[in-house]
Coordinates of all heavy atoms in Angstrom, one line a residue:
M98 N 0.9 -1.2 0.0 CA 0.0 0.0 0.0 C 0.9 1.2 0.0 O 1.8 1.3 0.8 CB -0.9 0.0 1.2 CG -1.8 1.1 1.3 SD -3.0 0.9 2.7 CE -4.2 -0.1 2.0
S99 N 0.6 2.1 -0.9 CA 1.4 3.4 -0.9 C 0.9 4.3 0.2 O 0.2 5.3 -0.1 CB 1.3 4.0 -2.3 OG 1.8 5.3 -2.3
S100 N 1.2 4.0 1.4 CA 0.5 4.4 2.6 C -0.2 5.7 2.6 O -1.4 5.8 2.7 CB 1.5 4.4 3.7 OG 2.6 5.2 3.4
T101 N 0.5 6.8 2.3 CA -0.2 8.1 2.5 C -1.2 8.4 1.4 O -2.3 8.9 1.8 CB 0.9 9.3 2.5 OG1 1.7 9.2 1.3 CG2 1.8 9.2 3.7
T102 N -1.0 8.0 0.2 CA -1.9 8.3 -0.9 C -3.2 7.5 -0.7 O -4.3 8.1 -0.7 CB -1.3 8.0 -2.3 OG1 -0.1 8.7 -2.4 CG2 -2.3 8.3 -3.4
E103 N -3.1 6.2 -0.5 CA -4.3 5.4 -0.4 C -5.1 5.7 0.9 O -6.3 5.8 1.0 CB -4.0 3.9 -0.5 CG -3.9 3.4 -1.9 CD -2.4 3.4 -2.3 OE1 -1.6 3.9 -1.5 OE2 -2.1 2.9 -3.4
L104 N -4.3 5.9 2.0 CA -4.9 6.2 3.3 C -5.6 7.5 3.2 O -6.7 7.7 3.8 CB -3.9 6.1 4.4 CG -3.4 4.7 4.7 CD1 -2.3 4.8 5.8 CD2 -4.5 3.8 5.2
A105 N -5.0 8.5 2.6 CA -5.7 9.8 2.5 C -7.0 9.7 1.7 O -8.0 10.3 2.0 CB -4.7 10.8 1.8
E106 N -6.9 8.9 0.6 CA -8.1 8.7 -0.2 C -9.2 8.0 0.6 O -10.4 8.4 0.5 CB -7.8 7.9 -1.5 CG -8.9 7.8 -2.4 CD -8.6 7.0 -3.7 OE1 -7.4 6.8 -3.9 OE2 -9.5 6.7 -4.5
L107 N -8.8 7.0 1.4 CA -9.8 6.3 2.2 C -10.4 7.3 3.2 O -11.7 7.3 3.5 CB -9.1 5.2 3.0 CG -8.9 3.9 2.2 CD1 -8.1 2.9 3.1 CD2 -10.2 3.3 1.9
H108 N -9.6 8.2 3.8 CA -10.2 9.2 4.7 C -11.2 10.1 4.0 O -12.2 10.5 4.6 CB -9.1 10.0 5.4 CG -8.4 9.2 6.5 ND1 -9.1 9.0 7.8 CD2 -7.3 8.6 6.6 CE1 -8.3 8.3 8.5 NE2 -7.2 8.0 7.9
E109 N -10.9 10.5 2.8 CA -11.8 11.4 2.1 C -13.1 10.6 1.8 O -14.2 11.2 1.9 CB -11.2 11.8 0.7 CG -10.1 12.8 0.9 CD -9.4 13.2 -0.4 OE1 -10.1 13.1 -1.5 OE2 -8.2 13.5 -0.4
L110 N -13.0 9.4 1.4 CA -14.2 8.6 1.1 C -15.0 8.3 2.3 O -16.3 8.4 2.2 CB -13.8 7.2 0.4 CG -13.1 7.3 -1.0 CD1 -12.6 6.0 -1.4 CD2 -14.2 7.8 -2.0
I111 N -14.4 8.0 3.4 CA -15.2 7.8 4.6 C -15.8 9.1 5.1 O -17.0 9.1 5.6 CB -14.4 7.1 5.8 CG1 -15.3 6.7 6.9 CG2 -13.3 8.1 6.3 CD1 -16.2 5.6 6.6
G112 N -15.2 10.2 4.8 CA -15.8 11.5 5.1 C -17.1 11.7 4.3 O -18.1 12.2 4.8
S113 N -17.0 11.4 3.0 CA -18.2 11.5 2.2 C -19.3 10.5 2.6 O -20.5 10.9 2.6 CB -17.8 11.2 0.7 OG -16.9 12.1 0.2
L114 N -18.9 9.3 3.0 CA -19.8 8.3 3.5 C -20.5 8.8 4.7 O -21.8 8.7 4.8 CB -19.1 7.0 3.7 CG -20.0 5.9 4.3 CD1 -21.1 5.5 3.4 CD2 -19.2 4.7 4.7
R115 N -19.8 9.4 5.6 CA -20.4 9.9 6.9 C -21.4 11.0 6.6 O -22.4 11.1 7.2 CB -19.3 10.3 7.9 CG -18.5 9.1 8.4 CD -17.4 9.6 9.3 NE -18.1 9.8 10.6 CZ -17.5 10.5 11.6 NH1 -16.3 10.9 11.5 NH2 -18.1 10.6 12.8
R116 N -21.0 11.9 5.7 CA -22.0 13.0 5.3 C -23.3 12.4 4.7 O -24.4 12.9 5.1 CB -21.3 14.0 4.4 CG -20.3 14.9 5.0 CD -19.8 16.0 4.1 NE -19.0 15.4 3.0 CZ -17.7 15.1 3.1 NH1 -17.1 15.2 4.2 NH2 -17.1 14.6 2.0
C117 N -23.1 11.4 3.9 CA -24.3 10.8 3.3 C -25.2 10.1 4.4 O -26.4 10.2 4.4 CB -23.9 9.8 2.2 SG -23.3 10.5 0.7
V118 N -24.5 9.4 5.2 CA -25.2 8.7 6.3 C -25.9 9.7 7.2 O -27.1 9.4 7.6 CB -24.3 7.8 7.1 CG1 -24.9 7.3 8.4 CG2 -23.8 6.6 6.2
T119 N -25.3 10.8 7.6 CA -25.9 11.8 8.4 C -27.1 12.4 7.7 O -28.2 12.6 8.4 CB -24.9 12.9 8.7 OG1 -23.8 12.3 9.4 CG2 -25.5 14.0 9.6
S120 N -27.0 12.6 6.4 CA -28.1 13.1 5.7 C -29.3 12.2 5.7 O -30.5 12.5 5.9 CB -27.7 13.4 4.2 OG -28.8 13.9 3.4
L121 N -29.0 10.9 5.4 CA -30.1 9.9 5.4 C -30.7 9.8 6.8 O -32.0 9.7 6.9 CB -29.5 8.5 5.0 CG -29.2 8.3 3.6 CD1 -28.4 7.0 3.3 CD2 -30.5 8.4 2.7
A122 N -29.9 9.8 7.8 CA -30.4 9.7 9.2 C -31.3 10.9 9.5 O -32.4 10.7 10.2 CB -29.3 9.6 10.2
S123 N -31.0 12.1 9.1 CA -31.8 13.2 9.4 C -33.1 13.2 8.5 O -34.1 13.7 9.0 CB -31.0 14.5 9.1 OG -30.7 14.7 7.8
R124 N -33.0 12.6 7.3 CA -34.2 12.5 6.5 C -35.2 11.5 7.0 O -36.4 11.7 7.0 CB -33.8 12.2 5.1 CG -35.1 12.0 4.2 CD -34.7 11.7 2.8 NE -34.1 12.8 2.1 CZ -33.4 12.8 1.0 NH1 -33.4 11.7 0.3 NH2 -32.9 13.9 0.5
Y125 N -34.7 10.3 7.4 CA -35.6 9.2 7.7 C -35.7 9.0 9.2 O -36.5 8.1 9.6 CB -35.1 7.9 7.1 CG -35.2 8.0 5.6 CD1 -34.0 8.1 4.8 CD2 -36.4 7.9 4.9 CE1 -34.1 8.2 3.4 CE2 -36.5 8.0 3.6 CZ -35.3 8.1 2.8 OH -35.4 8.2 1.4
G126 N -35.0 9.7 10.0 CA -35.2 9.7 11.5 C -34.5 8.5 12.1 O -33.8 7.7 11.4
D127 N -34.7 8.3 13.4 CA -34.1 7.2 14.1 C -34.9 5.9 14.0 O -36.0 5.8 14.5 CB -34.0 7.6 15.6 CG -33.3 6.6 16.4 OD1 -32.4 6.0 15.9 OD2 -33.5 6.5 17.6
S128 N -34.4 5.0 13.1 CA -35.1 3.8 12.9 C -34.0 2.7 12.9 O -32.8 3.0 12.9 CB -35.8 3.8 11.6 OG -34.8 3.8 10.5
P129 N -34.4 1.4 13.0 CA -33.4 0.4 13.0 C -32.5 0.4 11.8 O -31.3 0.2 11.8 CB -34.2 -0.9 13.1 CG -35.5 -0.5 13.7 CD -35.7 0.9 13.3
A130 N -33.1 0.7 10.6 CA -32.3 0.8 9.4 C -31.2 1.9 9.4 O -30.1 1.7 9.0 CB -33.2 1.0 8.2
T131 N -31.6 3.1 9.9 CA -30.7 4.2 9.9 C -29.6 4.0 11.0 O -28.5 4.3 10.8 CB -31.4 5.6 10.1 OG1 -32.2 5.5 11.3 CG2 -32.2 5.9 8.9
R132 N -30.0 3.4 12.1 CA -29.0 3.1 13.2 C -28.0 2.1 12.7 O -26.8 2.2 12.9 CB -29.7 2.6 14.4 CG -30.3 3.7 15.3 CD -30.7 3.2 16.7 NE -31.6 2.0 16.6 CZ -33.0 2.1 16.7 NH1 -33.5 3.3 16.7 NH2 -33.7 1.1 16.6
R133 N -28.5 1.1 11.9 CA -27.6 0.1 11.3 C -26.6 0.7 10.4 O -25.4 0.4 10.5 CB -28.4 -1.0 10.6 CG -27.6 -2.2 10.2 CD -28.4 -3.3 9.7 NE -29.5 -2.9 8.7 CZ -30.8 -3.0 9.0 NH1 -31.2 -3.4 10.2 NH2 -31.7 -2.6 8.1
I134 N -27.0 1.6 9.5 CA -26.1 2.2 8.5 C -25.2 3.2 9.2 O -24.0 3.3 8.9 CB -26.9 2.9 7.4 CG1 -25.9 3.2 6.2 CG2 -27.5 4.2 7.8 CD1 -25.6 2.0 5.4
V135 N -25.6 3.9 10.3 CA -24.7 4.7 11.1 C -23.7 3.9 11.8 O -22.5 4.2 11.7 CB -25.5 5.6 12.1 CG1 -24.6 6.2 13.1 CG2 -26.4 6.6 11.4
N136 N -24.1 2.8 12.3 CA -23.1 1.9 13.0 C -22.1 1.3 12.0 O -20.9 1.2 12.3 CB -23.8 0.7 13.7 CG -24.5 1.2 15.0 OD1 -24.2 2.2 15.5 ND2 -25.6 0.4 15.4
D137 N -22.6 0.9 10.8 CA -21.7 0.4 9.8 C -20.7 1.4 9.4 O -19.5 1.1 9.2 CB -22.5 -0.1 8.5 CG -23.3 -1.3 8.8 OD1 -23.1 -2.0 9.8 OD2 -24.2 -1.6 8.0
A138 N -21.1 2.7 9.2 CA -20.2 3.7 8.8 C -19.1 4.0 9.9 O -17.9 4.2 9.6 CB -20.9 5.0 8.5
E139 N -19.6 3.9 11.1 CA -18.6 4.1 12.3 C -17.6 3.0 12.3 O -16.4 3.1 12.6 CB -19.4 4.2 13.6 CG -20.1 5.6 13.7 CD -19.2 6.8 13.6 OE1 -18.1 6.8 14.2 OE2 -19.6 7.7 12.9
R140 N -18.1 1.7 12.1 CA -17.2 0.6 12.1 C -16.2 0.7 11.0 O -15.0 0.4 11.2 CB -18.0 -0.7 11.9 CG -17.1 -2.0 12.1 CD -17.9 -3.3 11.9 NE -18.0 -3.4 10.4 CZ -19.1 -3.4 9.7 NH1 -20.3 -3.2 10.3 NH2 -19.2 -3.5 8.4
I141 N -16.6 1.1 9.8 CA -15.7 1.3 8.7 C -14.6 2.4 9.1 O -13.4 2.2 8.8 CB -16.4 1.7 7.4 CG1 -17.2 0.5 6.9 CG2 -15.4 2.2 6.3 CD1 -18.2 0.8 5.8
L142 N -15.1 3.5 9.7 CA -14.1 4.5 10.1 C -13.1 4.0 11.1 O -11.9 4.2 11.0 CB -14.9 5.7 10.7 CG -14.0 6.8 11.3 CD1 -13.2 7.5 10.2 CD2 -14.9 7.8 12.1
N143 N -13.6 3.2 12.1 CA -12.7 2.6 13.0 C -11.7 1.6 12.3 O -10.5 1.6 12.7 CB -13.5 1.8 14.1 CG -14.2 2.7 15.0 OD1 -13.9 3.9 15.2 ND2 -15.3 2.2 15.6
D144 N -12.2 0.9 11.3 CA -11.3 0.0 10.6 C -10.2 0.8 9.9 O -9.0 0.4 9.8 CB -12.0 -0.9 9.6 CG -12.9 -1.9 10.3 OD1 -12.7 -2.2 11.5 OD2 -13.8 -2.5 9.7
I145 N -10.6 1.9 9.3 CA -9.6 2.7 8.6 C -8.6 3.4 9.5 O -7.4 3.4 9.3 CB -10.3 3.8 7.7 CG1 -11.0 3.1 6.6 CG2 -9.3 4.8 7.2 CD1 -12.0 4.0 5.8
D146 N -9.1 3.8 10.7 CA -8.2 4.3 11.7 C -7.2 3.2 12.2 O -6.0 3.5 12.4 CB -8.9 4.8 13.0 CG -9.7 6.1 12.7 OD1 -9.3 6.8 11.7 OD2 -10.6 6.5 13.4
R147 N -7.7 2.0 12.3 CA -6.8 0.9 12.7 C -5.8 0.6 11.5 O -4.7 0.3 11.8 CB -7.7 -0.4 12.9 CG -6.9 -1.6 13.3 CD -6.3 -1.4 14.7 NE -5.4 -2.5 14.9 CZ -4.5 -2.5 15.8 NH1 -4.4 -1.6 16.7 NH2 -3.7 -3.6 16.0
L148 N -6.2 0.8 10.3 CA -5.3 0.6 9.2 C -4.2 1.6 9.2 O -3.1 1.3 8.9 CB -6.1 0.7 7.9 CG -5.3 0.4 6.6 CD1 -4.8 -1.0 6.6 CD2 -6.2 0.6 5.4
D149 N -4.5 2.9 9.6 CA -3.5 3.9 9.8 C -2.5 3.4 10.8 O -1.3 3.5 10.6 CB -4.1 5.2 10.4 CG -4.7 6.1 9.3 OD1 -4.3 5.9 8.1 OD2 -5.5 6.9 9.6
I150 N -3.0 2.8 11.9 CA -2.1 2.3 13.0 C -1.2 1.2 12.4 O 0.0 1.1 12.7 CB -2.9 1.9 14.2 CG1 -3.6 3.1 14.8 CG2 -2.0 1.1 15.2 CD1 -4.6 2.7 15.8
D151 N -1.8 0.3 11.6 CA -1.1 -0.9 11.1 C -0.3 -0.7 9.8 O 0.3 -1.6 9.3 CB -2.1 -2.0 10.9 CG -2.7 -2.5 12.2 OD1 -2.1 -2.3 13.3 OD2 -3.8 -3.1 12.1
A152 N -0.3 0.6 9.3 CA 0.4 0.8 8.0 C 1.8 0.4 8.1 O 2.3 -0.2 7.1 CB 0.2 2.3 7.7
E153 N 2.5 0.7 9.2 CA 3.9 0.3 9.3 C 4.1 -1.2 9.2 O 5.0 -1.8 8.6 CB 4.6 0.9 10.5 CG 6.1 0.6 10.6 CD 6.7 1.2 11.7 OE1 6.3 2.3 12.2 OE2 7.7 0.7 12.2
E154 N 3.2 -1.9 9.9 CA 3.2 -3.4 9.9 C 3.0 -3.9 8.5 O 3.6 -4.9 8.1 CB 2.2 -3.9 10.9 CG 2.2 -5.4 11.0 CD 1.1 -5.9 12.0 OE1 1.0 -5.3 13.1 OE2 0.4 -6.9 11.7
L155 N 2.1 -3.3 7.8 CA 1.8 -3.7 6.4 C 3.1 -3.5 5.5 O 3.4 -4.4 4.7 CB 0.7 -3.0 5.8 CG -0.7 -3.3 6.4 CD1 -1.7 -2.3 5.8 CD2 -1.1 -4.7 6.1
E156 N 3.8 -2.4 5.7 CA 5.0 -2.2 5.0 C 6.1 -3.2 5.3 O 6.8 -3.7 4.5 CB 5.6 -0.8 5.3 CG 4.7 0.3 4.6 CD 5.2 1.7 5.0 OE1 6.1 1.8 5.8 OE2 4.6 2.6 4.4
L157 N 6.2 -3.6 6.6 CA 7.1 -4.6 7.0 C 6.8 -6.0 6.4 O 7.7 -6.7 6.0 CB 7.2 -4.8 8.5 CG 7.8 -3.6 9.3 CD1 7.6 -3.8 10.8 CD2 9.2 -3.4 8.9
A158 N 5.5 -6.3 6.3 CA 5.1 -7.5 5.7 C 5.4 -7.6 4.2 O 5.7 -8.6 3.6 CB 3.6 -7.8 5.8
R159 N 5.5 -6.4 3.5 CA 5.8 -6.3 2.1 C 7.3 -6.4 2.0 O 7.8 -6.5 0.8 CB 5.4 -5.0 1.5 CG 4.0 -5.0 1.0 CD 3.7 -3.7 0.3 NE 4.7 -2.7 0.5 CZ 4.9 -1.6 -0.2 NH1 4.1 -1.4 -1.2 NH2 5.8 -0.7 0.1
G160 N 8.1 -6.2 3.0 CA 9.5 -6.3 2.9 C 10.2 -4.9 3.0 O 11.4 -4.8 2.8
V161 N 9.4 -3.8 3.3 CA 10.0 -2.5 3.4 C 10.6 -2.4 4.8 O 10.0 -2.7 5.8 CB 8.9 -1.4 3.2 CG1 9.5 0.0 3.5 CG2 8.3 -1.5 1.9
V162 N 11.9 -2.2 4.8 CA 12.6 -2.1 6.1 C 12.9 -0.7 6.5 O 13.4 0.1 5.7 CB 13.9 -2.9 6.0 CG1 14.7 -2.9 7.3 CG2 13.7 -4.4 5.6
H163 N 12.5 -0.4 7.7 CA 12.9 0.9 8.3 C 14.1 0.7 9.2 O 14.0 0.0 10.2 CB 11.7 1.5 9.2 CG 10.5 1.8 8.3 ND1 10.4 2.9 7.6 CD2 9.4 1.0 8.1 CE1 9.2 2.9 7.0 NE2 8.6 1.8 7.3
H164 N 15.2 1.3 8.8 CA 16.4 1.2 9.6 C 16.3 2.0 10.9 O 16.0 3.2 10.8 CB 17.6 1.6 8.8 CG 17.8 0.7 7.6 ND1 18.3 -0.6 7.8 CD2 17.6 0.9 6.3 CE1 18.3 -1.2 6.6 NE2 17.9 -0.3 5.7
Q165 N 16.5 1.4 12.0 CA 16.5 2.1 13.2 C 18.0 2.3 13.7 O 18.8 1.4 13.4 CB 15.7 1.4 14.3 CG 14.3 1.3 13.9 CD 13.4 1.0 15.0 OE1 13.8 0.9 16.2 NE2 12.1 0.9 14.8
P166 N 18.3 3.4 14.4 CA 19.7 3.5 14.8 C 20.1 2.4 15.7 O 19.3 1.9 16.5 CB 19.7 4.8 15.6 CG 18.2 5.3 15.7 CD 17.4 4.4 14.8
V167 N 21.3 2.0 15.5 CA 21.9 0.8 16.3 C 22.3 1.4 17.6 O 23.0 2.4 17.7 CB 23.1 0.2 15.5 CG1 23.7 -0.9 16.4 CG2 22.6 -0.3 14.2
G168 N 21.9 0.7 18.7 CA 22.2 1.1 20.0 C 23.6 0.6 20.4 O 24.3 0.0 19.5
E169 N 24.0 0.8 21.6 CA 25.3 0.3 22.1 C 25.3 -1.2 22.0 O 24.4 -1.9 22.4 CB 25.5 0.7 23.5 CG 26.8 0.3 24.1 CD 26.9 0.6 25.6 OE1 26.0 1.2 26.1 OE2 27.9 0.2 26.2
R170 N 26.4 -1.7 21.5 CA 26.6 -3.2 21.4 C 27.4 -3.6 22.6 O 28.5 -3.0 22.8 CB 27.3 -3.6 20.1 CG 26.3 -3.3 18.9 CD 27.0 -3.8 17.6 NE 26.1 -3.5 16.5 CZ 25.7 -4.3 15.6 NH1 26.2 -5.6 15.6 NH2 24.9 -4.0 14.7
I171 N 27.0 -4.7 23.2 CA 27.7 -5.2 24.3 C 28.3 -6.5 23.9 O 27.6 -7.5 23.6 CB 26.8 -5.4 25.5 CG1 26.1 -4.1 25.9 CG2 27.5 -6.0 26.7 CD1 25.0 -4.2 26.9
P172 N 29.7 -6.6 24.0 CA 30.3 -7.9 23.6 C 30.1 -9.0 24.6 O 30.0 -8.7 25.8 CB 31.8 -7.5 23.5 CG 31.9 -6.3 24.4 CD 30.6 -5.6 24.4
I173 N 29.8 -10.2 24.1 CA 29.6 -11.3 25.0 C 30.8 -12.3 24.7 O 31.0 -12.8 23.6 CB 28.3 -12.0 24.7 CG1 27.2 -11.0 25.0 CG2 28.1 -13.3 25.6 CD1 25.8 -11.5 24.6
P174 N 31.6 -12.6 25.7 CA 32.8 -13.4 25.5 C 32.4 -14.9 25.2 O 31.4 -15.4 25.6 CB 33.5 -13.3 26.8 CG 32.5 -12.9 27.8 CD 31.5 -12.1 27.1
D175 N 33.3 -15.5 24.4 CA 33.0 -17.0 24.1 C 33.6 -17.9 25.1 O 33.4 -19.1 25.1 CB 33.7 -17.3 22.7 CG 32.9 -16.6 21.6 OD1 31.7 -16.4 21.7 OD2 33.6 -16.4 20.5
T176 N 34.3 -17.4 26.1 CA 34.9 -18.2 27.1 C 33.8 -18.7 28.1 O 32.8 -18.1 28.2 CB 36.0 -17.4 27.9 OG1 35.3 -16.2 28.5 CG2 37.1 -16.9 27.0
A177 N 34.1 -19.8 28.7 CA 33.2 -20.5 29.7 C 33.1 -19.6 30.9 O 34.0 -19.0 31.4 CB 33.7 -21.9 30.0
Y178 N 31.9 -19.6 31.5 CA 31.7 -18.9 32.8 C 32.3 -19.7 33.9 O 32.4 -20.9 33.9 CB 30.2 -18.7 33.1 CG 29.5 -17.7 32.2 CD1 28.7 -18.2 31.2 CD2 29.6 -16.4 32.4 CE1 28.0 -17.3 30.3 CE2 29.0 -15.5 31.6 CZ 28.2 -15.9 30.6 OH 27.5 -15.0 29.7
D179 N 32.7 -19.0 34.9 CA 33.2 -19.6 36.1 C 32.1 -20.4 36.7 O 30.9 -20.0 36.8 CB 33.7 -18.5 37.1 CG 34.3 -19.1 38.4 OD1 34.6 -20.3 38.4 OD2 34.5 -18.3 39.3
T180 N 32.4 -21.6 37.2 CA 31.3 -22.5 37.8 C 30.6 -21.9 39.0 O 29.5 -22.2 39.3 CB 31.9 -23.9 38.2 OG1 33.0 -23.7 39.0 CG2 32.3 -24.7 36.9
D181 N 31.3 -21.0 39.7 CA 30.7 -20.3 40.9 C 29.5 -19.4 40.4 O 28.6 -19.2 41.2 CB 31.7 -19.5 41.6 CG 32.7 -20.4 42.4 OD1 32.3 -21.5 42.7 OD2 33.8 -19.9 42.8
F182 N 29.6 -19.0 39.2 CA 28.6 -18.1 38.6 C 27.2 -18.8 38.6 O 26.2 -18.2 38.8 CB 28.9 -17.7 37.2 CG 27.9 -16.9 36.5 CD1 27.8 -15.5 36.8 CD2 27.0 -17.4 35.6 CE1 26.9 -14.7 36.1 CE2 26.0 -16.6 34.9 CZ 26.0 -15.2 35.2
W183 N 27.2 -20.2 38.4 CA 26.0 -20.9 38.3 C 25.6 -21.7 39.6 O 24.6 -22.4 39.6 CB 26.2 -22.0 37.2 CG 26.4 -21.4 35.8 CD1 27.6 -21.3 35.2 CD2 25.5 -20.6 35.1 NE1 27.4 -20.6 34.0 CE2 26.1 -20.2 33.9 CE3 24.1 -20.3 35.2 CZ2 25.5 -19.5 32.9 CZ3 23.5 -19.6 34.2 CH2 24.2 -19.2 33.1
R184 N 26.3 -21.4 40.7 CA 26.0 -22.0 41.9 C 24.6 -21.7 42.4 O 24.2 -20.5 42.2 CB 27.0 -21.6 43.0 CG 26.8 -22.3 44.3 CD 27.8 -21.9 45.3 NE 29.1 -21.9 44.6 CZ 30.2 -22.2 45.1 NH1 30.3 -22.6 46.4 NH2 31.3 -22.2 44.5
D185 N 23.8 -22.6 42.9 CA 22.5 -22.4 43.4 C 21.4 -22.1 42.3 O 20.4 -21.5 42.5 CB 22.4 -21.3 44.5 CG 23.2 -21.7 45.7 OD1 23.3 -22.9 46.0 OD2 23.8 -20.8 46.4
V186 N 21.8 -22.4 41.1 CA 20.8 -22.1 39.9 C 20.3 -23.5 39.5 O 21.1 -24.4 39.3 CB 21.6 -21.4 38.8 CG1 20.6 -21.3 37.6 CG2 22.1 -20.0 39.2
D187 N 19.0 -23.6 39.3 CA 18.4 -24.8 38.8 C 18.7 -25.0 37.4 O 18.5 -24.0 36.6 CB 16.9 -24.9 39.1 CG 16.6 -24.9 40.6 OD1 17.4 -25.5 41.3 OD2 15.5 -24.4 40.9
D188 N 19.1 -26.1 36.9 CA 19.4 -26.4 35.5 C 18.1 -27.1 34.9 O 17.9 -28.2 35.2 CB 20.6 -27.3 35.3 CG 20.9 -27.6 33.9 OD1 20.3 -26.9 33.0 OD2 21.7 -28.4 33.6
E189 N 17.3 -26.3 34.2 CA 16.1 -26.9 33.6 C 16.4 -27.5 32.2 O 15.6 -28.3 31.7 CB 15.1 -25.7 33.4 CG 14.6 -25.2 34.7 CD 13.6 -24.1 34.5 OE1 13.1 -23.9 33.4 OE2 13.3 -23.4 35.5
G190 N 17.6 -27.3 31.7 CA 18.0 -27.9 30.4 C 17.1 -27.5 29.3 O 16.2 -26.6 29.4
L191 N 17.3 -28.2 28.2 CA 16.5 -27.9 27.0 C 15.6 -29.2 26.6 O 16.1 -30.3 26.7 CB 17.4 -27.6 25.8 CG 18.2 -26.4 25.9 CD1 19.2 -26.3 24.7 CD2 17.4 -25.2 25.9
G192 N 14.4 -29.0 26.4 CA 13.5 -30.0 25.9 C 12.9 -30.9 26.9 O 12.2 -31.9 26.6
G193 N 13.1 -30.7 28.2 CA 12.4 -31.4 29.2 C 13.2 -32.6 29.7 O 14.3 -32.8 29.3
T194 N 12.6 -33.4 30.7 CA 13.3 -34.5 31.3 C 12.9 -35.8 30.7 O 11.8 -35.9 30.1 CB 13.0 -34.5 32.8 OG1 11.6 -34.6 33.0 CG2 13.5 -33.2 33.5
R195 N 13.8 -36.8 30.9 CA 13.4 -38.1 30.4 C 13.4 -39.1 31.6 O 14.1 -39.0 32.5 CB 14.5 -38.6 29.4 CG 14.3 -37.9 28.1 CD 15.3 -38.4 27.1 NE 15.1 -37.7 25.9 CZ 15.0 -38.3 24.7 NH1 15.0 -39.5 24.6 NH2 14.9 -37.6 23.7

């Protein structure tokens, strides 16, 4: 999704939809049918707002990578830890017990 262009167009369209729904509701009054269409329009608006929130996630799914600054790197030595380091620690191991 070309995020800003399509999302801006969706916002314009939902604005038009809300104006139409408001006009229909004022013309036909409070009835189950008008309440239903008002609720549907609000749900669509909420979905579009959610899409705004998820736009970055959609870009990541497409493979667009946002580079974030690299923080401080902490070197981890390859040498074995002193056995005293692990004293009084339960060894749960990997994969369970037999």
Side-chain angles (χ1 to χ4, degrees):
M98 181 174 274
S99 172
S100 60
T101 55
T102 305
E103 281 95 352
L104 290 175
E106 186 177 351
L107 280 172
H108 281 286
E109 289 177 28
L110 292 170
I111 191 65
S113 296
L114 176 65
R115 291 179 81 192
R116 285 188 293 279
C117 290
V118 167
T119 301
S120 176
L121 286 172
S123 66
R124 177 181 291 169
Y125 294 106
D127 187 28
S128 69
T131 56
R132 281 194 302 267
R133 187 171 49 250
I134 195 77
V135 167
N136 288 337
D137 290 345
E139 289 301 316
R140 190 185 75 248
I141 292 169
L142 176 63
N143 289 336
D144 290 343
I145 291 171
D146 288 341
R147 181 66 189 169
L148 186 59
D149 276 338
I150 294 167
D151 293 339
E153 184 175 333
E154 183 179 318
L155 291 172
E156 289 176 356
L157 290 174
R159 275 189 343 164
V161 176
V162 179
H163 295 280
H164 295 287
Q165 297 197 2
V167 177
E169 178 186 358
R170 293 185 182 228
I171 302 171
I173 299 174
D175 289 335
T176 57
Y178 289 104
D179 184 13
T180 54
D181 288 338
F182 179 80
W183 299 106
R184 186 179 314 219
D185 298 328
V186 175
D187 293 332
D188 181 12
E189 296 180 10
L191 296 174
T194 60
R195 289 184 180 228

